[in-house]
Amino acid sequence: SISMGADERERNFTWHCTTQDDGMLLIAKASELVEGAMPEDAKAFEAASAANNDGKYTFKAAVTGLKSGTTYAYQVVNGDTKSDVYTISTDGGDEAFSFAYVGDPQIGAGGNVTSDTDGWGETLEIVAENDIFSDVSFLLSAGDQVNTASNESQYDGYLDHDVLKSLPVATVIG
């Protein structure tokens, strides 16, 4: 999950892992990738960890110093385990920006987490594939992301979508 920082130069990353091994986030300009892999001199940001409700761990890393109008590649690392490499883009600085507004994904409220997750996924695909949303800087979710705050499978249903690996989300607690 990617969320907004204080300005276009900052992003906050959160991920879940089955191990409590030291976590970090590697980031570099996408143009510096070496055959699709992170370069040796990628900048590393340490991640703080906390235990989840389901025996897994949550890691959080704050990335600073990003340049506006730039595409970055990032990878999360826990011990010897590395994620795929994903990309994010920063806005152009003082230029105008736009965002997509959604409300009440509320995974779990429909009585079927799988069905709710599929419906939320369809919403995210509309944002990702529709030309109207081609220049959105982030997704604003107006609350009720999940139905039960302590239910990790509902959070998985909300967060585990490819669109959210490159689109920052600003959430309101519902």
Side-chain angles (χ1 to χ4, degrees):
S1 168
I2 308 165
S3 61
M4 307 303 293
D7 59 31
E8 70 275 1
R9 296 178 308 255
E10 298 179 8
R11 295 291 183 275
N12 300 307
F13 293 79
T14 304
W15 66 95
H16 293 191
C17 188
T18 56
T19 178
Q20 195 177 10
D21 293 343
D22 289 342
M24 75 171 86
L25 184 130
L26 301 176
I27 194 161
K29 290 181 180 176
S31 61
E32 297 172 352
L33 289 176
V34 179
E35 296 180 11
M38 296 300 290
E40 294 279 331
D41 62 348
K43 195 165 184 183
F45 290 87
E46 288 187 35
S49 69
N52 282 354
N53 297 320
D54 63 355
K56 296 178 185 173
Y57 299 89
T58 297
F59 290 83
K60 297 179 181 182
V63 173
T64 60
L66 301 174
K67 292 186 175 17
S68 61
T70 304
T71 299
Y72 288 91
Y74 74 91
Q75 183 177 46
V76 298
V77 179
N78 289 90
D80 293 331
T81 304
K82 296 181 178 182
S83 73
D84 290 336
V85 175
Y86 304 102
T87 60
I88 60 167
S89 296
T90 56
D91 294 328
D94 294 333
E95 297 176 17
F97 66 91
S98 65
F99 59 92
Y101 178 85
V102 297
D104 293 329
Q106 203 159 353
I107 307 301
N112 183 313
V113 171
T114 301
S115 176
D116 293 351
T117 299
D118 291 346
W120 173 234
E122 290 173 19
T123 299
L124 291 172
E125 289 303 317
I126 290 170
V127 172
E129 296 173 2
N130 192 314
D131 287 341
I132 295 171
F133 300 109
S134 65
D135 65 345
V136 297
S137 301
F138 63 95
L139 181 75
L140 175 60
S141 181
D144 291 335
Q145 283 66 242
V146 299
N147 197 51
T148 306
S150 61
N151 188 315
E152 297 298 336
S153 69
Q154 291 177 12
Y155 277 106
D156 288 344
Y158 174 73
L159 293 169
D160 193 15
H161 298 275
D162 287 342
V163 172
L164 298 180
K165 293 173 183 166
S166 61
L167 182 64
V169 178
T171 57
V172 175
I173 298 172

